[in-house]
Amino acid sequence: MEPPKARTEVTEPYGYFSDLTAAHLLHEGEIRPAYTLAEPTPLEVWRRNLEIITAILTAAGVDSFAVPGFSLTRPVLAVSAADRQRVLTALAMLCDSTGGRLATPEPAFRESELGLNRPQWARRADMGDVPMVRASWLWTDAARELLFGADYGCDVEFWNPTGDGHLLAPRHNRISPVVRDDGARVTAPGRLFTALAAGPRAGLPRVATRPEFSRPGLDLVDFPIDVVYTWVDGADHSWLRRRAEADQSPYHAESANAARFHDREELRFSLRSLHLNAPWVRHVYLVTDRQRPHWLDADAPGITVVDHRDLFDDPDCLPTFNSHAIETQLHRIEGLSEHFLYFNDDMFVGKPVDPRLFFEPSGIARFFPAQTFIGMDPVSTADSPPNAAFKNDRALLERAFGRTISRMMKHVPYPLQRSVLAEVEKEFAEDLARTAQSAFRNVTDVSTVTLQHYYAFFTGRAVLGEAQDAYVELGMPDVHERLELLLERRDRDTFCINDAGLPEDLADERSDLMRRFLESYFPVPSPWEKSLAL
């Protein structure tokens, strides 16, 4: 049955809703229309809400200008406090006609960068002299798995004349709480108003603002950031033959464990998470061994498949089945940006994130040590491959800097710099060359990723970062409850779903569980999927 159409009118801004279908959904105890978008992403909702409110204010004869607020997902418009009643009337009529909601954060005048991320809501029939209001609609995808509501609404601030030719904001923003009252109307790139549009793929149009807000501030990340994945399909017959023909003499059973190479199509959903929540990524590089996912559109703009043969200078290092070996070569990817994120295919971006989560605007990288510590005993064959590589990294750093390390990295995307990786390769040439030649993980391996993080830190090119992350193992007895909580809250910057500890008799059941979770969390295909892919 076709869902009912939302009530619309011919003229703008009601026309923004005229080509949309609205399914009536229960939300926070109310039946409300949720408008289905063809491109249901946080950035598209940001753009659409800004354009709708701008249009209604223009129709009401109210001058407005965009303000660089602290929120990634909520656009901010400013108007003169003298226009408060006209604005409230126009917004109330629009929301009543289209199923939107008009509310005010409480107390709005106290909101800062911290407060804006934790608003307290109060619904009022009488807006009085409130310093700002928030208009929002429910936007959703075709499957109705995603729902964008008040956290994505558009804020309208009422700025007061100061008596000396200026307007004063009711709260802080990222540039200035004061602008000239008679300031010229100018346009500026949309990326100045939400970090989601920081990259070249975002495609956000220019927005109307004031001269004070038309130039980048010190918090803008204006350099390109790429993403690199390493991926393998462990069921591919050609790959299995190459693996069987390799010298299988790993020191540890984990090094040759077939489960490490099993493909559950995590990569498909990890790419969806990038498209949805990190649209500022410039380009994606997928490093593989003469493979590519069946669902991947490798000709789509913004992605490049890189074969091991194009990465390793020494052909004698191939074939390799050792992620430590592959990681020694990542900085050789042709065209790769100086700053990039290295993803394992089981890592996902869980909500809209700012590139500053990973890099300072100055270019300094962040890194995310885990809370667990690695023992100080010398490396031995009793160590798992990750622990052995970490201990080898520690020995190299102690020799180079006289400092010791004890914490591995969280399962969070790794912010890396090509120049630092090249320097690490030069500084520890023998150790990286030996690792590159190991077809399977070896007790003598180093972890180039961990080594680069701490090397960059000791040389002033990285700082400790903080991320709201989650790590889930498919072998956990409460994995179902953990995934349900992730889906319900959607509050993690990043999360990882690892197959560690997964018993063979539960492999199919847990794989199906993970697939259902990922399809619900990331229902929107990325631009890099074939259109007919299931």
Side-chain angles (χ1 to χ4, degrees):
M1 179 177 176
E2 181 71 14
K5 294 283 186 180
R7 291 175 292 173
T8 61
E9 295 184 16
V10 176
T11 58
E12 295 287 6
Y14 300 92
Y16 278 88
F17 300 90
S18 63
D19 61 344
L20 298 175
T21 298
H24 287 78
L25 303 178
L26 180 65
H27 180 69
E28 296 180 345
E30 295 181 278
I31 300 293
R32 293 179 56 188
Y35 293 91
T36 301
L37 295 176
E39 183 68 14
T41 66
L43 188 58
E44 171 61 15
V45 172
W46 191 100
R47 181 195 66 80
R48 189 174 287 267
N49 281 341
L50 180 70
E51 290 184 350
I52 290 170
I53 301 303
T54 300
I56 192 66
L57 295 179
T58 300
V62 175
D63 181 52
S64 65
F65 56 92
V67 176
F70 292 108
S71 173
L72 277 178
T73 58
R74 290 190 299 272
V76 181
L77 287 171
V79 299
S80 171
D83 292 319
R84 179 185 284 109
Q85 194 54 54
R86 273 199 296 170
V87 170
L88 291 177
T89 300
L91 292 179
M93 291 179 61
L94 176 65
C95 289
D96 286 346
S97 301
T98 57
R101 285 294 175 269
L102 190 62
T104 178
E106 170 96 21
F109 64 89
R110 294 182 182 174
E111 289 199 348
S112 62
E113 181 169 6
L114 179 64
L116 272 172
N117 291 327
R118 295 170 176 81
Q120 295 177 339
W121 286 96
R123 297 178 59 187
R124 297 179 176 178
D126 178 15
M127 294 292 183
D129 290 335
V130 295
M132 64 162 284
V133 290
R134 182 169 297 163
S136 63
W137 290 264
L138 297 182
W139 305 99
T140 188
D141 65 298
R144 301 172 194 167
E145 297 283 1
L146 300 176
L147 197 62
F148 304 97
D151 285 342
Y152 297 81
C154 181
D155 290 350
V156 179
E157 299 177 343
F158 301 109
W159 289 45
N160 286 288
T162 61
D164 63 354
H166 293 84
L167 292 173
L168 178 65
R171 60 179 179 182
H172 295 296
N173 58 63
R174 292 187 286 111
I175 299 295
S176 173
V178 179
V179 300
R180 289 188 60 85
D181 197 355
D182 61 353
R185 182 183 179 89
V186 300
T187 62
R191 63 189 175 88
L192 302 185
F193 301 90
T194 173
L196 288 178
R201 289 195 310 108
L204 199 64
R206 296 177 70 86
V207 299
T209 188
R210 291 294 183 89
E212 291 89 345
F213 302 139
S214 63
R215 292 174 294 275
L218 60 81
D219 60 351
L220 178 69
V221 174
D222 61 355
F223 47 82
I225 300 173
D226 292 340
V227 164
V228 174
Y229 285 93
T230 50
W231 176 83
V232 65
D233 176 7
D236 176 59
H237 294 296
S238 297
W239 181 87
L240 285 169
R241 184 175 62 253
R242 292 194 295 274
R243 184 168 175 262
E245 293 170 352
D247 178 18
Q248 296 202 39
S249 55
Y251 84 95
H252 197 281
E254 182 182 322
S255 303
N257 186 353
R260 292 184 54 244
F261 307 104
H262 186 61
D263 176 36
R264 298 180 176 84
E265 292 198 358
E266 298 98 327
L267 175 63
R268 181 204 292 260
F269 296 97
S270 185
L271 286 171
R272 288 185 180 188
S273 80
L274 276 186
H275 172 60
L276 192 71
N277 294 320
W280 40 263
V281 168
R282 183 189 70 162
H283 199 90
V284 176
Y285 294 91
L286 176 59
V287 177
T288 73
D289 180 12
R290 287 177 267 182
Q291 298 177 319
R292 65 181 56 186
H294 68 89
W295 48 264
L296 182 72
D297 182 359
D299 296 324
I303 195 165
T304 300
V305 178
V306 180
D307 192 80
H308 291 179
R309 294 170 295 180
D310 298 324
L311 201 58
F312 282 78
D313 276 351
D314 183 358
D316 291 338
C317 294
L318 299 176
T320 187
F321 310 92
N322 180 1
S323 60
H324 290 152
I326 299 166
E327 289 162 7
T328 66
Q329 309 295 308
L330 297 183
H331 61 292
R332 300 180 184 277
I333 295 174
E334 184 177 353
L336 180 65
S337 59
E338 163 66 10
H339 300 84
F340 69 97
L341 299 174
Y342 172 43
F343 273 66
N344 300 136
D345 64 2
D346 59 0
M347 294 176 177
F348 308 88
V349 185
K351 68 178 184 178
V353 294
D354 191 314
R356 290 182 299 167
L357 178 67
F358 304 107
F359 295 100
E360 291 277 2
S362 63
I364 291 176
R366 300 183 188 274
F367 66 107
F368 308 96
Q371 297 302 312
T372 53
F373 291 81
I374 303 302
M376 304 302 289
D377 294 336
V379 66
S380 75
T381 54
D383 289 311
S384 67
N387 286 11
F390 181 86
K391 290 183 177 182
N392 292 328
D393 289 346
R394 175 162 58 202
L396 294 179
L397 294 169
E398 287 176 348
R399 187 180 72 199
F401 298 103
R403 307 279 291 273
T404 195
I405 60 172
S406 55
R407 295 163 64 190
M408 298 180 74
M409 295 299 121
K410 287 184 174 182
H411 289 77
V412 170
Y414 309 111
L416 303 176
Q417 298 142 294
R418 287 187 80 179
S419 60
V420 177
L421 285 168
E423 197 171 317
V424 166
E425 181 185 39
K426 183 177 179 181
E427 181 74 18
F428 308 111
E430 181 180 338
D431 304 275
L432 266 68
R434 182 179 60 249
T435 299
Q437 292 165 0
S438 298
F440 293 92
R441 290 183 174 187
N442 195 291
V443 72
T444 63
D445 284 355
V446 296
S447 169
T448 311
V449 171
T450 301
L451 195 58
Q452 142 32 115
H453 284 317
Y454 284 112
Y455 186 92
F457 178 73
F458 290 140
T459 57
R461 288 169 286 182
V463 294
L464 293 173
E466 293 185 6
Q468 298 296 318
D469 65 292
Y471 175 73
V472 178
E473 292 183 354
L474 288 178
M476 292 174 169
D478 61 344
V479 61
H480 185 273
E481 290 77 9
R482 289 174 180 263
L483 293 180
E484 275 194 342
L485 195 61
L486 275 176
L487 186 61
E488 177 186 349
R489 293 183 175 177
R490 293 181 179 265
D491 62 349
R492 300 291 92 180
D493 295 323
T494 71
F495 59 87
C496 174
I497 305 177
N498 196 281
D499 57 11
L502 179 60
E504 186 63 32
D505 60 332
L506 292 177
D508 290 342
E509 172 197 326
R510 297 292 169 85
S511 293
D512 290 343
L513 173 66
M514 184 191 73
R515 180 61 180 248
R516 291 193 300 272
F517 164 80
L518 291 175
E519 287 175 340
S520 294
Y521 206 114
F522 304 113
V524 181
S526 77
W528 306 298
E529 294 181 42
K530 293 178 181 177
S531 58
L532 297 179
L534 298 178

